Amino acid sequence: MAEPFSVPVVVRGYETDSQGHLNQAVYLQYAEHARWSLLEKGGIRQADLLRRGVGPVALEVTVRYLRELRAGDEVEVTCAFVWGEGKTFRIEQTIRKVDGTVAAEVTGVGGLLDLTTRKMMTDPREHFRTLSASPGVFGL
């Protein structure tokens, strides 16, 4: 597993709910932002994936909410791929305040979809090696 990649995010006021803390669905958006940012760092752009007929898919996502976030809070969102065998891989993410407090943990199972056959691709690890200009950022 590679060292977790991270991106900074500042909680915006319009992302909060009537209780003044970050809306639960926005945690998923922060996690998605970090995943796409990691793909870009590895040299994989969305347009390139579409041109090759490949689409990353989320098969399962779990969020553990640990501490509330409020407007103006600065966080870092990490993202690390964990490779196993078969057609899927895990993604582990942490949303952490700048003081080190973990606000949420996001874990998921993903895969690569062949956009023509609409079937999961075998050995996503090898596909990431082929697609990426910097496979090391994915722990490869």
Side-chain angles (χ1 to χ4, degrees), residues 12-24:
R12 295 165 289 263
Y14 63 83
E15 296 172 326
T16 60
D17 60 20
S18 60
Q19 297 173 9
H21 58 248
L22 187 63
N23 178 278
Q24 51 93 19

Side-chain angles (χ1 to χ4, degrees), residues 28 31-32 35 56-63 88-93 105-111 120:
L28 293 171
E32 182 81 359
R35 288 192 300 273
V57 292
L59 302 169
E60 174 185 312
V61 178
T62 302
V63 181
T88 63
F89 50 87
R90 294 188 54 74
I91 300 175
E92 297 179 352
Q93 298 183 261
E105 297 170 338
V106 181
T107 57
V109 175
M120 297 295 293

Side-chain angles (χ1 to χ4, degrees), residues 6-120:
S6 68
V7 293
V9 176
V10 177
V11 177
R12 295 165 289 263
Y14 63 83
E15 296 172 326
T16 60
D17 60 20
S18 60
Q19 297 173 9
H21 58 248
L22 187 63
N23 178 278
Q24 51 93 19
V26 179
Y27 288 84
L28 293 171
Q29 293 173 348
Y30 288 2
E32 182 81 359
H33 172 64
R35 288 192 300 273
W36 279 105
S37 296
L38 176 55
L39 288 174
E40 286 186 16
K41 180 173 181 166
I44 301 174
R45 297 177 315 140
Q46 189 175 36
D48 300 330
L49 291 170
L50 291 172
R51 197 170 25 260
R52 289 179 177 229
V54 176
V57 292
L59 302 169
E60 174 185 312
V61 178
T62 302
V63 181
R64 289 189 64 219
Y65 303 99
L66 301 168
R67 295 288 182 273
E68 68 181 350
L69 293 174
R70 296 187 168 278
D73 282 348
E74 297 177 24
V75 298
E76 93 171 345
V77 185
T78 66
C79 184
F81 282 64
V82 181
W83 302 100
E85 301 302 320
K87 296 180 180 182
T88 63
F89 50 87
R90 294 188 54 74
I91 300 175
E92 297 179 352
Q93 298 183 261
T94 302
I95 300 173
R96 181 179 287 114
K97 293 181 179 186
V98 292
D99 69 3
T101 303
V102 175
E105 297 170 338
V106 181
T107 57
V109 175
L112 291 176
L113 184 69
D114 180 312
L115 297 177
T116 302
T117 65
R118 308 306 287 180
K119 297 201 184 275
M120 297 295 293

